[in-house]
Each structure stands twice: as C-alpha cells, then as structure tokens.
Amino acid sequence: PYGQRIYTITRIVTEQTLFRILDIRAEGTEHLTTAPPVIVAPVHRSNLDSLIVGTLGRRRLPTLAKDSLFALKPVAWWIAGLGAIPLDRNAADREATRAAREILDSGRPLRIFPEGTRQTGQRIGELFDGTPWIAAKTGASIVPVGIAGTEAALPPGARFPHRTAVGVVALEPITMPEGRVPRSKLTELTELMRTRLQQANDRAHELIA
C-alpha cells in the first residue's frame, strides 16, 4: 500500500542527488513507459542501474531481486516498497515466477535483469530463457535497455558514486508471438533479446565515448 509513496520519494531524492553527480545521457526513454503488459529488461553492471532506470521511466517497476537483499529489515522494507520480489537464484523459484506473472496479468509493468546478476564489461553473454518464457506466458513485450558507465560510477566495494558519464538506451519493445510458444521458438526469442540488449549496450557506450 505504501509502495507508490516510497517510489515517489526515492525518485525525487535520486533526481536531486544522484542525477546531479552523474552526467546522464539517455535515448529512447519513451520506451520505458510502454503500456503493460511489458517487461523492462536492463543490463546489470551496478547497484545504480535500478535507481537510474526507475527514475528515467518515472514509474514504479516491480522487480525480481535476489532474496539475500531482504536480510536487513530496513532495506527489505524499502525495496519491497519499490516493488522488489525475492527470488531464490539457487532453485527454480516457482513463487517468484507466479508473482511475476500476477504482476503482468494485473496490468502493471515488470523489471527483470535478464543477465541474472551483475556482470562486467560491454559484452552481453548467454542469457537464461526465463524472461522470454514469462513474456510468452503473459503476452508481455520486452524493452531491452543498455546501460554504460555505472560500473565505473559505483564499482563493487565503493560506498559513494563517482562523477562520471552514464549512457542509457532503451530500444523498441520486442513483441511476443500469439499462441503457444514452443521450446525452439523460446530459444530464438532469447537469442533475439541478447542481440537487442547488445545493440542497446553498444549504443549506450557510444553516448559516453
């Protein structure tokens, strides 16, 4: 019930603090407000990624998040308000999958980091097919989002962000085919998502070059 207020406060604070430290250069942000059902699918290089994408899109984005983030009650309260759903990465978490489908079926957007956990570098590696599977089951489109510069802005172990340029590029949504999606088609959709993510990420790096 308090989620929208938590998001609004977080967005305003982010705009007044983080966005004054970083030089944000963005393209295609209109795609971040694509009508539901939609999955916003950013690359993941830093803990700043969620804040930046959520602020640029100017709407609350429920997100699948690793369950260890919920260990501290104040943090758990805050990220739950932002819409985080605990996900057990060591098991096939049916509860998180069910929650993700319920969010999309209810007409709300969803954010999923298709790389799973934070990666390094510009290259998009092999992806799991979980994101296209959820999209296919719910008829949701997928918005690929490339992000460059956050890895340098807040590297692992850093307590405060460094002043640097950050590029964010959201591409046109990938639409799902109608009807049942066979395994072979799901593999094709996963590879298409990886290709589009790489295109978005390459363009994001060009913005800060």
Side-chain angles (χ1 to χ4, degrees), residues 30-160:
E30 67 275 11
H31 300 309
L32 296 176
T33 57
T34 297
V38 61
I39 297 173
V40 177
V43 301
H44 199 11
R45 298 294 179 270
S46 167
N47 288 332
L48 297 177
D49 299 334
S50 288
L51 284 173
I52 292 173
V53 172
T55 300
L56 287 174
R58 302 186 70 80
R59 69 178 177 184
R60 184 172 178 259
L61 288 172
T63 305
L64 298 179
K66 59 183 180 181
D67 53 6
S68 61
L69 293 175
F70 292 79
L72 295 176
K73 287 187 177 180
V75 175
W77 179 83
W78 175 55
I79 63 177
L82 293 177
I85 303 167
L87 174 65
D88 182 359
R89 290 176 176 166
N90 298 316
D93 197 327
R94 294 182 180 179
E95 188 66 20
T97 302
R98 181 192 61 78
R101 293 183 62 177
E102 285 183 355
I103 287 170
L104 292 167
D105 288 340
S106 69
R108 288 175 289 167
L110 177 67
R111 174 173 47 204
I112 299 178
F113 291 101
E115 293 173 296
T117 187
R118 279 181 295 172
Q119 305 294 323
T120 60
Q122 185 172 341
R123 182 177 178 275
I124 307 300
E126 185 177 355
L127 303 178
F128 296 108
D129 60 8
T131 304
W133 183 85
I134 292 174
K137 290 292 184 180
T138 59
S141 56
I142 301 174
V143 176
V145 183
I147 307 173
T150 54
E151 191 173 356
L154 191 70
R159 298 182 63 183
F160 302 101

Side-chain angles (χ1 to χ4, degrees), residues 22 106 110 166 192:
L22 303 177
S106 69
L110 177 67
V166 169
L192 174 61

Side-chain angles (χ1 to χ4, degrees), residues 142-184:
I142 301 174
V143 176
V145 183
I147 307 173
T150 54
E151 191 173 356
L154 191 70
R159 298 182 63 183
F160 302 101
H162 306 302
R163 291 186 178 276
T164 187
V166 169
V168 181
V169 174
L171 298 184
E172 292 184 359
I174 301 170
T175 57
M176 294 295 107
E178 295 183 1
R180 181 178 175 275
V181 178
R183 170 60 61 178
S184 59

